[in-house]
Amino acid sequence: MSFSNVLRKAASRVVPLAVRAVTGSQRCLHYTDVCSSPVPVVGRSWDILLRRSFPASGFTYSTKAKSDEALLKVIESEIQCAVESQEEQPEDIPPEFPFKIEDQPGQRIVTLHREYQGEDITVEVHMPDLVTGEENDRREDENEDDDDDDETETPNSSSLPLVVRVAKGKKPVLEFECTAYPDEFAIESLSVKDPENSKDQIAYEGPDFGDLDENLQKAFHKYLEIRGIRPSTTNFLHGYMVDKDGREYLTWLKNLQKFVQA
């Protein structure tokens, strides 16, 4: 087949599309300012076909507006649920709570400060890892499947990550990474850090805490309890951080709402 035949065959498929849309054989003639010869242009049916093939910007704007309106309704519904789920009055700080709380809105971490017999104690409290009823059942099933491997066991209750630092002036800092559970806390790691050392240097941080002698582990638990890291403290912090998580989520939703409305 010659190249000219190919062109004619392709043209025969494309050209009639607009022509078949016109009822009758009438065509209107329009003249351009550049050329004096008439240029045949298909009438109203061709114009409708073009609009269907290439939607106008107004149509796109209308679709965007409807989409934004639907998104706003979902956000407003979620805001209402978040407001209803919050407690009317946050829990008061217990009078025996030994730390000063530094809580910056918009931050995921709450910092605690305390001075104890010449020591500067700082605690970083992170957002809790919440375990709901269904999540608890799922984790129990996973633990049953992994009974032969204790290292893969997943806690079945909500937990609260803590980083405790005990400093004595410019001397090295004792740093504990802990996880608080209801009515108890576990020390995950222990290290001695020199504030004057370069951050680029990788210091030896000691063995895994679980590998230490059992008596030494108990002694460090007692060491932290005396300095205020005890179940009564961590239980209050757990509820405090749950409330903070709800407040931060509500603020985040309202910021989303303002952005979409703008």
Side-chain angles (χ1 to χ4, degrees), residues 46 60 251:
W46 176 242
T60 304
T251 301

Side-chain angles (χ1 to χ4, degrees), residues 98-100 112-116 119-122 225-230:
F99 293 94
K100 178 182 178 181
L112 311 180
H113 296 282
R114 182 192 185 190
E115 289 186 2
Y116 175 78
E119 299 175 348
D120 184 13
I121 303 173
T122 304
E225 288 180 2
I226 293 175
R227 285 156 179 79
I229 308 301
R230 56 179 72 100

Side-chain angles (χ1 to χ4, degrees), residues 52 114 211 249:
R52 290 178 179 175
R114 182 192 185 190
D211 294 337
Y249 179 57

Side-chain angles (χ1 to χ4, degrees), residues 163-166 172-177 187-194 203-209 212 220:
V163 178
V164 184
R165 297 184 180 91
V166 182
V173 177
L174 198 59
E175 182 175 289
F176 299 83
E177 291 188 5
I187 300 176
E188 306 295 344
S189 67
L190 166 64
S191 60
V192 181
K193 297 189 175 181
D194 189 347
Y204 174 70
E205 297 185 351
D208 292 338
F209 188 81
L212 296 177
F220 274 119

Side-chain angles (χ1 to χ4, degrees), residues 10-242:
S12 66
R13 294 178 181 176
V14 177
V15 173
L17 290 176
V19 179
R20 287 198 297 267
V22 184
T23 58
S25 59
Q26 294 183 352
R27 299 175 183 269
C28 59
L29 299 180
H30 297 275
Y31 293 84
T32 64
D33 295 334
V34 178
C35 182
S36 60
S37 60
V39 180
V41 180
V42 184
R44 178 174 177 78
S45 298
W46 176 242
D47 181 62
I48 295 175
L49 183 61
L50 283 176
R51 292 186 180 183
R52 290 178 179 175
S53 302
F54 304 97
S57 59
F59 176 77
T60 304
Y61 176 80
S62 177
T63 303
K64 176 180 178 296
K66 291 181 179 179
S67 175
D68 289 356
E69 183 179 352
L71 177 59
L72 277 174
K73 289 182 179 180
V74 177
I75 294 176
E76 290 170 357
S77 176
E78 190 66 18
I79 289 176
Q80 183 64 28
C81 291
V83 171
E84 293 175 357
S85 64
Q86 282 190 329
E87 295 184 2
E88 296 182 0
Q89 184 68 30
E91 184 179 356
D92 293 333
I93 299 176
E96 68 276 8
F97 190 75
F99 293 94
K100 178 182 178 181
I101 299 177
E102 182 181 322
D103 186 356
Q104 297 292 335
Q107 301 296 318
R108 292 179 54 85
I109 298 175
V110 169
T111 305
L112 311 180
H113 296 282
R114 182 192 185 190
E115 289 186 2
Y116 175 78
Q117 296 184 359
E119 299 175 348
D120 184 13
I121 303 173
T122 304
V123 183
E124 288 183 359
V125 187
H126 297 253
M127 287 295 182
D129 179 15
L130 300 178
V131 178
T132 61
E134 294 181 358
E135 181 72 9
N136 186 31
D137 294 340
R138 182 184 66 80
R139 293 190 177 185
E140 287 181 350
D141 294 338
E142 290 178 353
N143 291 338
E144 289 178 0
D145 296 337
D146 298 331
D147 284 340
D148 297 335
D149 188 359
D150 293 337
E151 294 182 358
T152 60
E153 184 174 350
T154 306
N156 293 330
S157 57
S158 300
S159 59
L160 188 68
L162 307 172
V163 178
V164 184
R165 297 184 180 91
V166 182
K168 297 181 179 180
K170 296 182 179 180
K171 298 180 180 180
V173 177
L174 198 59
E175 182 175 289
F176 299 83
E177 291 188 5
C178 306
T179 303
Y181 302 97
D183 300 322
E184 64 176 342
F185 71 93
I187 300 176
E188 306 295 344
S189 67
L190 166 64
S191 60
V192 181
K193 297 189 175 181
D194 189 347
E196 296 182 359
N197 283 351
S198 172
K199 294 183 179 180
D200 297 333
Q201 298 178 357
I202 301 177
Y204 174 70
E205 297 185 351
D208 292 338
F209 188 81
D211 294 337
L212 296 177
D213 180 81
E214 185 176 351
N215 291 329
L216 188 55
Q217 294 184 42
K218 291 180 179 179
F220 274 119
H221 273 88
K222 188 66 176 178
Y223 178 90
L224 289 181
E225 288 180 2
I226 293 175
R227 285 156 179 79
I229 308 301
R230 56 179 72 100
S232 59
T233 301
T234 56
N235 286 347
F236 166 76
L237 288 174
H238 186 278
Y240 184 93
M241 294 304 291
V242 170

